[in-house]
Amino acid sequence: MELPFQIDLTGQSAVVTGGSGVIGGVFCRALAACGAQVAVLGRSSAKSEVCAESIRKEGGKAFAVAADVLSRDSLLAARESILQRAGGINILVNCAGGAVPGAAVPQDQLADAVPGETTFFTADIEKIHRELDLNIYGTMLPTQIFGECLTGRKNANIINIASMGADRPLTRLAGYSAAKAAVANFTQWAAVYFARSGVRVNAIAPGFFHTTQNHSLQYNPDGTPTVRSGKILRSTPMERYGDPEDLIGALLYLASPKGSAFVTGVILPVDGGFEAYSGV
Ligand SMILES: NC(=O)c1ccc[n+]([C@@H]2O[C@H](COP(=O)([O-])OP(=O)(O)OC[C@H]3O[C@@H](n4cnc5c(N)ncnc54)[C@H](O)[C@@H]3O)[C@@H](O)[C@H]2O)c1
């Protein structure tokens, strides 16, 4: 019997937006380890090149491409350069995104706001707007630009990155939660739209992950969890943060034609049980 999980993406080409980021970088390395040629797409080609170079040093195939996922022109130029170098695109991972600093409100509820503190009424709506743009427009636009090259390709598939906030909004993060809900909704829309054109579209919904960037939000200088962090860990039955590498199995399962050829429109949680837990 041939097991479905000997994943071989040799001969396939993958584009990972936000490939210069923490999770995107892990995704690039995992796809390359399965034989795919990876275009590491980020705003800064220098940052993307660090990731691409580390893959090449490990014997994989990767190159850096600079593009802003919010700019049609820069994505069109990136597409041109990727097609020249890789000959085509089979897999698109829309990983660029995240919360925009300053867009969150400081309290879970209005009733807890202290005088002078930012509330939703005084929140910087431009930052919330940027958060919505980055996460949903920054998923739709690359899907439009790169998706066109996917139709008719072998194992064509798109993987978007949602969040726990997609299903149930996360406190404080109105813009981020709404944007990720839109990412999940768009994933299902696109799955239906592309279904008979041979392109699968799925999403991964990560729970709470520990990365160097959010270490200070999650832990006090003495190593104890912050108040919000304690709440997160109590709401995660496995009582730990995810490690970005915990997402690799979901990525490769969705990316591989062997494991998930009949899977489309799925929002796959990787969350240590967060979504399943009622809190009681
Ligand atoms: N870290 C978590 O706990 C967590 C949880 C749920 C979902 N996510 C999602 O996973 C994805 C990756 O998150 P991460 O933690 O690796 O963050 P990260 O900040 O390390 O990576 C995001 C990457 O996107 C890039 N980017 C931002 N704006 C861009 C633009 N306009 N054009 C091109 N690239 C742009 C950044 O340069 C960065 O390389 C995001 O979509 C995030 O919302 C993360």
Coordinates of all heavy atoms in Angstrom, one line a residue, residues 17-25 41-44 47 67-70 94-99 134-135 161-164 176 180 204-211 213-214 218, ligand 1:
T17 N 3.1 34.2 0.0 CA 3.2 35.6 0.4 C 3.5 35.7 1.9 O 3.1 34.8 2.7 CB 1.8 36.4 0.1 OG1 0.8 36.0 1.0 CG2 1.3 36.0 -1.3
G18 N 4.2 36.8 2.3 CA 4.6 36.8 3.7 C 5.6 35.8 4.0 O 5.8 35.4 5.2
G19 N 6.3 35.3 3.0 CA 7.3 34.2 3.2 C 8.4 34.6 4.0 O 9.2 33.8 4.5
S20 N 8.6 35.9 4.1 CA 9.7 36.4 5.0 C 9.3 36.5 6.4 O 10.2 36.8 7.3 CB 10.1 37.8 4.5 OG 8.9 38.7 4.5
G21 N 8.1 36.2 6.8 CA 7.6 36.2 8.2 C 7.9 34.9 8.9 O 8.5 34.0 8.3
V22 N 7.5 34.8 10.1 CA 7.8 33.7 11.0 C 7.0 32.4 10.4 O 7.7 31.4 10.1 CB 7.3 33.9 12.4 CG1 7.5 32.7 13.3 CG2 8.0 35.1 13.0
I23 N 5.7 32.5 10.3 CA 5.0 31.3 9.9 C 5.2 31.1 8.4 O 5.5 29.9 7.9 CB 3.5 31.5 10.2 CG1 3.3 31.4 11.7 CG2 2.6 30.4 9.5 CD1 1.8 31.7 12.2
G24 N 5.3 32.1 7.6 CA 5.5 32.0 6.1 C 6.9 31.4 5.9 O 7.0 30.5 5.0
G25 N 7.9 31.7 6.7 CA 9.2 31.1 6.5 C 9.2 29.6 6.8 O 9.8 28.9 6.0
L41 N 7.8 35.4 -1.2 CA 7.3 36.7 -1.6 C 7.2 37.6 -0.3 O 6.5 37.2 0.6 CB 6.0 36.6 -2.3 CG 5.5 37.9 -2.9 CD1 4.7 37.6 -4.2 CD2 4.6 38.7 -2.0
G42 N 7.8 38.7 -0.3 CA 7.7 39.7 0.8 C 7.9 41.1 0.4 O 8.3 41.3 -0.8
R43 N 7.6 42.0 1.2 CA 7.8 43.4 0.8 C 9.2 43.7 0.6 O 9.6 44.5 -0.3 CB 7.2 44.4 1.8 CG 5.7 44.7 1.6 CD 5.2 45.4 2.7 NE 5.5 44.8 4.0 CZ 5.1 45.3 5.2 NH1 4.4 46.4 5.3 NH2 5.4 44.6 6.3
S44 N 10.1 43.2 1.5 CA 11.5 43.4 1.3 C 12.2 42.2 0.7 O 12.1 41.1 1.3 CB 12.1 43.7 2.7 OG 13.3 43.1 2.9
K47 N 14.9 40.6 3.1 CA 14.4 39.7 4.1 C 13.9 38.4 3.5 O 14.2 37.3 4.1 CB 13.1 40.4 4.8 CG 13.3 40.6 6.3 CD 12.1 41.3 6.9 CE 11.4 40.4 7.8 NZ 10.1 40.9 8.3
A67 N 7.3 42.1 -3.4 CA 5.9 42.6 -3.8 C 5.1 43.0 -2.6 O 5.3 42.4 -1.5 CB 5.2 41.5 -4.6
D68 N 4.3 43.9 -2.8 CA 3.3 44.3 -1.8 C 2.0 43.7 -2.1 O 1.5 43.9 -3.2 CB 3.2 45.9 -1.8 CG 2.3 46.4 -0.7 OD1 1.4 45.7 -0.3 OD2 2.4 47.6 -0.4
V69 N 1.4 42.9 -1.2 CA 0.2 42.2 -1.5 C -1.0 43.2 -1.7 O -2.1 42.7 -2.1 CB -0.2 41.1 -0.5 CG1 0.8 40.0 -0.5 CG2 -0.4 41.7 0.9
L70 N -0.8 44.4 -1.4 CA -1.9 45.4 -1.6 C -1.7 46.2 -2.9 O -2.5 47.1 -3.2 CB -1.9 46.4 -0.4 CG -2.1 45.7 0.9 CD1 -2.1 46.7 2.1 CD2 -3.4 45.0 1.0
N94 N -1.4 32.2 0.8 CA -1.6 33.6 1.2 C -1.4 33.8 2.7 O -2.3 33.7 3.5 CB -3.0 34.0 0.9 CG -3.2 34.3 -0.6 OD1 -2.4 35.0 -1.2 ND2 -4.3 33.7 -1.2
C95 N -0.1 34.0 3.0 CA 0.3 34.1 4.4 C 0.6 35.5 5.0 O 0.6 35.7 6.2 CB 1.5 33.2 4.7 SG 1.9 32.8 6.4
A96 N 0.7 36.5 4.0 CA 0.9 37.8 4.5 C -0.3 38.3 5.3 O -1.4 38.0 4.8 CB 1.2 38.8 3.3
G97 N -0.1 38.9 6.4 CA -1.3 39.4 7.2 C -0.8 39.6 8.6 O 0.4 39.6 8.9
G98 N -1.8 39.8 9.4 CA -1.5 40.0 10.8 C -2.3 41.2 11.4 O -3.0 41.9 10.7
A99 N -2.1 41.4 12.7 CA -2.8 42.5 13.4 C -1.9 43.8 13.1 O -0.7 43.7 13.1 CB -2.9 42.2 14.8
L134 N -5.1 44.7 4.7 CA -3.9 43.7 4.7 C -4.4 42.3 4.7 O -3.9 41.5 3.9 CB -3.0 44.0 5.9 CG -1.9 43.0 6.1 CD1 -0.9 42.9 4.9 CD2 -1.1 43.2 7.4
N135 N -5.4 42.0 5.5 CA -5.8 40.6 5.7 C -6.7 40.1 4.6 O -6.5 39.0 4.1 CB -6.3 40.3 7.1 CG -5.2 40.4 8.1 OD1 -4.4 39.4 8.2 ND2 -5.1 41.5 8.8
I161 N -4.7 31.9 5.2 CA -4.5 31.8 6.6 C -5.6 32.6 7.3 O -5.6 33.9 7.2 CB -3.1 32.3 7.0 CG1 -2.0 31.6 6.2 CG2 -2.9 32.0 8.5 CD1 -2.0 30.1 6.2
A162 N -6.5 31.9 8.0 CA -7.5 32.5 8.8 C -7.0 32.7 10.3 O -5.8 32.9 10.5 CB -8.8 31.8 8.7
S163 N -7.9 32.5 11.2 CA -7.5 32.6 12.6 C -8.6 32.2 13.5 O -9.8 32.0 13.0 CB -7.2 34.1 12.9 OG -7.6 34.5 14.2
M164 N -8.4 32.0 14.8 CA -9.5 31.7 15.7 C -10.5 32.8 15.7 O -11.7 32.6 16.0 CB -9.0 31.5 17.1 CG -8.3 30.2 17.3 SD -9.3 28.7 17.0 CE -8.8 28.2 15.4
Y176 N -9.0 42.9 13.1 CA -8.4 41.7 12.8 C -9.4 40.5 12.7 O -9.4 39.7 11.8 CB -7.3 41.4 13.8 CG -6.5 40.1 13.6 CD1 -5.5 40.1 12.5 CD2 -6.6 39.0 14.4 CE1 -4.8 39.0 12.3 CE2 -5.9 37.8 14.1 CZ -5.0 37.8 13.1 OH -4.2 36.7 12.9
K180 N -10.3 38.4 9.4 CA -10.1 36.9 9.2 C -11.4 36.2 9.0 O -11.4 35.1 8.3 CB -9.4 36.4 10.5 CG -7.9 36.9 10.6 CD -7.0 36.4 9.4 CE -5.5 36.6 9.7 NZ -4.7 36.3 8.5
I204 N -6.1 27.5 6.7 CA -5.7 27.0 8.0 C -6.1 28.1 9.0 O -5.8 29.3 8.7 CB -4.1 26.8 8.0 CG1 -3.7 25.7 7.0 CG2 -3.7 26.4 9.4 CD1 -2.2 25.5 6.8
A205 N -6.7 27.7 10.1 CA -7.0 28.6 11.1 C -6.1 28.4 12.3 O -6.4 27.5 13.2 CB -8.5 28.5 11.5
P206 N -5.0 29.1 12.4 CA -4.1 28.8 13.6 C -4.8 29.3 14.9 O -5.5 30.3 14.9 CB -2.8 29.6 13.3 CG -3.0 30.0 11.8 CD -4.4 30.1 11.5
G207 N -4.5 28.6 16.0 CA -4.9 29.1 17.3 C -3.8 30.1 17.7 O -3.4 30.9 16.9
F208 N -3.4 30.0 18.9 CA -2.4 31.0 19.4 C -1.0 30.4 19.4 O -0.8 29.3 19.9 CB -2.8 31.4 20.8 CG -4.1 32.2 20.8 CD1 -5.3 31.5 20.8 CD2 -4.1 33.6 20.7 CE1 -6.5 32.2 20.8 CE2 -5.3 34.3 20.7 CZ -6.5 33.6 20.7
F209 N -0.1 31.2 18.7 CA 1.2 30.7 18.5 C 2.2 31.5 19.2 O 2.0 32.7 19.4 CB 1.5 30.6 17.0 CG 0.9 29.4 16.4 CD1 -0.5 29.2 16.3 CD2 1.7 28.3 16.0 CE1 -1.0 28.0 15.9 CE2 1.1 27.1 15.6 CZ -0.2 27.0 15.5
H210 N 3.3 30.9 19.6 CA 4.4 31.6 20.3 C 5.5 31.9 19.2 O 6.0 31.0 18.6 CB 5.0 30.8 21.4 CG 6.2 31.5 22.0 ND1 6.0 32.7 22.8 CD2 7.5 31.3 22.0 CE1 7.2 33.1 23.2 NE2 8.1 32.3 22.8
T211 N 5.7 33.2 19.0 CA 6.8 33.6 18.1 C 7.6 34.6 18.8 O 7.2 35.2 19.8 CB 6.3 34.2 16.7 OG1 5.5 35.4 17.1 CG2 5.4 33.2 16.0
Q213 N 8.3 37.5 18.0 CA 7.7 38.9 17.9 C 6.6 39.1 19.0 O 6.5 40.2 19.5 CB 7.0 39.1 16.5 CG 7.9 39.4 15.4 CD 7.3 38.9 14.1 OE1 7.2 37.7 13.9 NE2 7.0 39.8 13.3
N214 N 5.9 38.0 19.3 CA 4.8 38.3 20.4 C 5.2 37.8 21.7 O 4.4 37.8 22.6 CB 3.5 37.8 19.9 CG 3.5 36.3 19.4 OD1 4.4 35.6 19.8 ND2 2.6 35.9 18.6
Q218 N 3.1 37.9 25.4 CA 2.7 36.7 26.0 C 3.3 36.4 27.4 O 2.7 35.8 28.3 CB 3.0 35.5 25.1 CG 2.1 35.6 23.8 CD 2.5 34.6 22.8 OE1 3.6 34.0 22.8 NE2 1.7 34.4 21.8
Ligands
LIG1 N1 1.4 34.2 15.0 C1 0.1 33.8 15.4 O1 -0.1 33.5 16.5 C2 -1.0 33.8 14.3 C3 -2.2 33.2 14.7 C4 -3.2 33.2 13.7 C5 -3.0 33.6 12.5 N2 -1.8 34.1 12.1 C6 -1.6 34.6 10.8 O2 -0.5 34.0 10.2 C7 0.1 34.8 9.2 C8 1.6 35.0 9.4 O3 1.7 35.5 10.7 P1 3.2 35.6 11.4 O4 2.9 35.4 12.9 O5 4.1 34.7 10.7 O6 3.5 37.1 11.2 P2 4.8 37.8 10.6 O7 4.6 39.3 10.9 O8 6.0 37.2 11.1 O9 4.6 37.6 9.1 C9 3.8 38.3 8.2 C10 4.6 38.6 7.0 O10 3.7 39.4 6.1 C11 4.5 40.4 5.5 N3 3.7 41.5 5.0 C12 3.0 42.4 5.8 N4 2.4 43.2 5.0 C13 2.7 42.9 3.7 C14 2.3 43.5 2.4 N5 1.6 44.5 2.3 N6 2.8 42.8 1.3 C15 3.6 41.7 1.4 N7 4.0 41.2 2.6 C16 3.5 41.8 3.7 C17 5.4 40.9 6.6 O11 6.5 41.5 6.1 C18 5.8 39.5 7.2 O12 6.9 39.0 6.5 C19 -0.7 36.1 9.2 O13 -1.7 36.1 8.3 C20 -1.3 36.1 10.6 O14 -2.5 36.8 10.7 C21 -0.8 34.2 13.0

